Amino acid sequence: MSPRYVIGVVHAAHVAAGKRQGFVAFSYGKEAAVRNLDVGDKVIFYAPKTEFDGDPVQAFVGHATITGDAPRQMDYMTGLPAWVRDAEFDDVIEVPVRPLLEDLSFVPRPSHWGMAFRQGKFTIPEADYRLIANAMGLDT
C-alpha cells in the first residue's frame, strides 16, 4: 500500500516535542486524529506559531514517517493525556509557506491561503508533498 501524505497543523513547540520523543499528535491529542494513520504515511508539519500564544512562524517545520502500528496515550507538554502515534523524524530545513502558495494545489486561492490550514490534519496529493519535502531538503 502506498503511503498517504498528510499535513499536520500544530505549533512549532509541539513538533519539537514530537521529534524529541518520537511521536506525532494532532487536534490537541484527540484519538481520532491519529487513528486512521498507517505505518509508512508521511507527515509534513505546518506551524502557524511558535506556541499557542507565541510568535508567528507560518512555515513547514517538520517531517515524519509513521512507525507505530496503533495509537497510544501519553502525557506531553499540556499535562493532559494525548493520543499519539510513534514516528521517525527527519532533519529538515524550515520552509516559509508563502513562496510555495502559488504551486500548492490544496491552496485554491493563494490570497486566502490561511483557509487551507484551518484543519488540524489533512491529506494532500503526492505532487504537493514532493514540492514541500524537496524544499525542506528531503530527496523524494
Side-chain angles (χ1 to χ4, degrees):
M1 184 168 154
S2 34
R4 278 178 295 164
Y5 305 102
V6 175
I7 296 288
V9 180
V10 299
H11 302 305
H14 289 251
V15 177
K19 185 174 182 178
R20 277 192 311 275
Q21 298 178 53
F23 69 84
V24 300
F26 314 97
S27 302
Y28 304 101
K30 292 182 180 163
E31 182 183 12
V34 294
R35 185 182 322 123
N36 69 348
L37 294 170
D38 293 318
V39 171
D41 285 352
K42 308 290 186 184
V43 180
I44 292 176
F45 289 97
Y46 169 77
K49 294 182 177 185
T50 54
E51 302 174 293
F52 183 74
D53 289 326
D55 296 324
V57 175
Q58 296 182 342
F60 298 106
V61 299
H63 180 276
T65 302
I66 303 301
T67 58
D69 289 329
R72 64 182 175 87
Q73 264 192 314
M74 66 174 288
D75 289 340
Y76 84 99
M77 295 186 70
T78 64
L80 300 172
W83 287 94
V84 302
R85 200 68 177 266
D86 291 336
E88 182 177 311
F89 280 76
D90 295 295
D91 290 325
V92 294
I93 301 163
E94 186 174 298
V95 175
V97 69
R98 289 181 190 267
L100 301 179
L101 291 174
E102 294 288 335
D103 298 317
L104 296 171
S105 70
F106 67 88
V107 180
R109 295 178 59 201
S111 61
H112 295 87
W113 65 271
M115 296 305 293
F117 295 94
R118 292 276 184 201
Q119 307 167 68
K121 183 189 91 177
F122 57 95
T123 303
I124 61 172
E126 183 176 356
D128 288 338
Y129 166 79
R130 289 187 184 281
L131 177 72
I132 300 165
N134 288 335
M136 298 176 92
L138 297 172
D139 184 19
T140 62

